[in-house]
Amino acid sequence: GIALAKAYLLAAGIETRRRQTKEATEHLQLAERLLGTIPDPGDVGILRIGQSRIAALNADADTAVERARDALAILGDFHGGEQGSAVHALATGLTLQGDDKGAEDAFRRAVDLLTVRSDAGAAALDWANFLRERGREEEAEPILRRAYDLGVDADTAATKS
């Protein structure tokens, strides 16, 4: 059961990156049922991150922020990579809520937390796009360069902006 739940969590993560919200929602629901009555906090954190990402893709800012904050509370100071993903999800939700200051702080923290993982490039790219959308090109340029340094390729950057 637990191994299958983790597989569903992984599949949902891939599907949210592909913006396949229907499939991701189904896989998160299956994972939640399979995690059992006393699930591992890391798995629940990943579940909440997925729910936050889906809410953001559906333009449900409040749920996106709420689920990301739930994930952070569950993950605590452990699970560094997942914590970075939760902060990235929070930044996205805060952007949708119009909380530019909170979003910018969260993007900065997400990139720092994710630098040890490949997800840092994606967080940096989202941060650069966040700044560009607000007419802050000069500030976005070094962050975009950092995204490239962290492994984001030009094709990925072009489809995200």
Side-chain angles (χ1 to χ4, degrees):
I2 299 299
L4 187 55
K6 289 179 187 280
Y8 281 131
L9 288 173
L10 186 63
I14 293 165
E15 290 156 353
T16 56
R17 281 190 279 287
R18 293 180 178 162
R19 300 181 177 282
Q20 298 170 325
T21 57
K22 184 177 178 286
E23 296 87 347
T25 300
E26 289 170 8
H27 284 136
L28 287 179
Q29 289 169 346
L30 288 167
E32 190 166 27
R33 281 198 291 272
L34 289 169
L35 285 175
T37 52
I38 307 171
D40 175 73
D43 292 336
V44 178
I46 293 168
L47 179 72
R48 296 291 176 261
I49 292 165
Q51 291 168 336
S52 174
R53 288 177 176 157
I54 290 168
L57 289 170
N58 291 328
D60 182 352
D62 294 342
T63 301
V65 168
E66 181 184 313
R67 293 293 184 273
R69 287 192 170 133
D70 286 350
L72 285 167
I74 291 163
L75 295 168
D77 291 335
F78 307 105
H79 309 94
E82 287 81 9
Q83 193 180 41
S85 295
V87 175
H88 186 187
L90 177 62
T92 303
L94 292 171
T95 298
L96 288 171
Q97 281 186 335
D99 179 356
D100 285 8
K101 174 80 176 92
E104 189 167 355
D105 291 344
F107 277 124
R108 181 176 289 112
R109 188 166 157 231
V111 171
D112 289 344
L113 286 167
L114 291 168
T115 298
V116 295
R117 292 184 32 186
S118 61
D119 297 350
L125 179 61
D126 286 348
W127 183 14
N129 287 332
F130 164 84
L131 292 170
R132 282 169 141 174
E133 288 164 7
R134 282 147 185 82
R136 295 164 61 186
E137 276 303 319
E138 246 174 68
E139 292 173 75
E141 282 311 309
I143 295 161
L144 189 57
R145 279 195 299 278
R146 186 168 178 194
Y148 290 133
D149 291 344
L150 291 165
V152 171
D153 60 36
D155 291 340
T156 304
T159 59
K160 277 280 210 158
S161 52

